[in-house]
Amino acid sequence: MATTTTTNTTSTSPPSSSSSSSHEYTYQVTMTCGGCSGAVERVLKRLEGVKSYSVSLEHQTATVVTAEDSGLDYDRVLATIKKTGKTVVAGEADGVVRSVE
């Protein structure tokens, strides 16, 4: 099986000097091929408020770092990944286990 890991960094907002911070969301996503991981990459690339993301076919993960003050929450990213038709089996927000229901 081929291993695909993609990391992308985008800047969607200017640096902020306020005390708010970005968040890191990690999802365990069932992906069987490069097309699967590519579908997840495409939706994350278009999602406003994403500072960076990483999709690993080998580890079956998608990790998203939000831009400061983006307002992008865990549930919105989860719903976006689910729209690809992929099964999300587990998730974390800032290291805390969250529901994927």
Side-chain angles (χ1 to χ4, degrees):
M1 174 158 71
T3 300
T4 302
T5 301
T6 302
T7 302
N8 187 29
T9 303
T10 57
S11 179
T12 57
S13 62
S16 173
S17 59
S18 70
S19 62
S20 65
S21 62
S22 62
H23 298 280
E24 183 174 305
Y25 307 133
T26 302
Y27 306 89
Q28 290 292 133
V29 184
T30 302
M31 298 178 283
T32 58
C33 66
C36 294
S37 59
V40 174
E41 290 173 30
R42 283 189 295 278
V43 297
L44 294 178
K45 181 172 29 176
R46 293 192 306 255
L47 188 58
E48 190 167 331
V50 173
K51 179 179 180 181
S52 66
Y53 65 88
S54 174
V55 178
S56 172
L57 177 59
E58 178 181 14
H59 295 101
Q60 302 283 292
T61 59
T63 301
V64 174
V65 177
T66 65
E68 292 184 15
D69 297 324
S70 70
L72 182 59
D73 66 13
Y74 171 89
D75 292 323
R76 183 165 167 219
V77 177
L78 174 63
T80 300
I81 293 171
K82 284 184 171 185
K83 284 182 184 179
T84 67
K86 307 303 165 230
T87 301
V88 180
V89 296
E92 292 183 1
D94 297 322
V96 177
V97 174
R98 297 278 306 266
S99 173
V100 294
E101 300 299 318

